[in-house]
Amino acid sequence: MARGNETASKIFYKGKSEDFIVFVDDLEILQKWKNDRSIALVDVLNGWKIFVTHSHGAQGVLDTASKNMLQNEFGTDNEDVCMVKILEGGEYQASSAREREGGKNDSKGPMIGH
């Protein structure tokens, strides 16, 4: 079985100066949360981090967003408030991670060319 080919569900938020991403468990839970705010954010989010792509879109390299970046974009550095704004104003995207095949036996004993 290949490893690392799970679907990644994320919310992409195009900001004024930076692009932000948070990961969610799935679209169904996100939709329920949008209609019923009594559902805890911890049940919606897959990890408690806000990522920034340095204006490279949804596929850019992900770094943790600094408090300064959050303050500049959302007017607060409170991660809870920022996550809610990203979930409300962002775009849902699901992508399948590239399949990874690990080496089984790289030496292959006598089968390797000498």
Side-chain angles (χ1 to χ4, degrees), residues 42 92 98:
V42 72
Y92 176 82
R98 194 179 93 233

mmCIF file of all heavy atoms in Angstrom, residues 42 92 98:
data_model
loop_
_atom_site.group_PDB
_atom_site.id
_atom_site.type_symbol
_atom_site.label_atom_id
_atom_site.label_comp_id
_atom_site.label_asym_id
_atom_site.label_seq_id
_atom_site.Cartn_x
_atom_site.Cartn_y
_atom_site.Cartn_z
ATOM 1 N N VAL A 42 -12.272 23.065 17.421
ATOM 2 C CA VAL A 42 -11.354 21.932 17.463
ATOM 3 C C VAL A 42 -11.932 20.728 16.706
ATOM 4 O O VAL A 42 -11.186 19.900 16.203
ATOM 5 C CB VAL A 42 -10.988 21.577 18.925
ATOM 6 C CG1 VAL A 42 -12.139 20.928 19.650
ATOM 7 C CG2 VAL A 42 -9.748 20.729 18.978
ATOM 8 N N TYR A 92 -12.834 26.542 0.203
ATOM 9 C CA TYR A 92 -12.536 25.149 0.511
ATOM 10 C C TYR A 92 -11.819 24.501 -0.662
ATOM 11 O O TYR A 92 -12.222 24.664 -1.811
ATOM 12 C CB TYR A 92 -13.827 24.385 0.821
ATOM 13 C CG TYR A 92 -13.610 22.913 1.056
ATOM 14 C CD1 TYR A 92 -13.188 22.451 2.294
ATOM 15 C CD2 TYR A 92 -13.805 21.986 0.037
ATOM 16 C CE1 TYR A 92 -12.980 21.103 2.512
ATOM 17 C CE2 TYR A 92 -13.599 20.638 0.245
ATOM 18 C CZ TYR A 92 -13.182 20.202 1.487
ATOM 19 O OH TYR A 92 -12.973 18.863 1.695
ATOM 20 N N ARG A 98 0.505 13.591 -3.083
ATOM 21 C CA ARG A 98 1.215 12.726 -4.010
ATOM 22 C C ARG A 98 1.567 11.413 -3.322
ATOM 23 O O ARG A 98 2.019 11.386 -2.190
ATOM 24 C CB ARG A 98 2.485 13.415 -4.490
ATOM 25 C CG ARG A 98 3.086 12.738 -5.695
ATOM 26 C CD ARG A 98 4.332 13.465 -6.153
ATOM 27 N NE ARG A 98 5.465 12.819 -5.515
ATOM 28 C CZ ARG A 98 6.396 13.428 -4.803
ATOM 29 N NH1 ARG A 98 6.347 14.721 -4.640
ATOM 30 N NH2 ARG A 98 7.378 12.782 -4.257
#
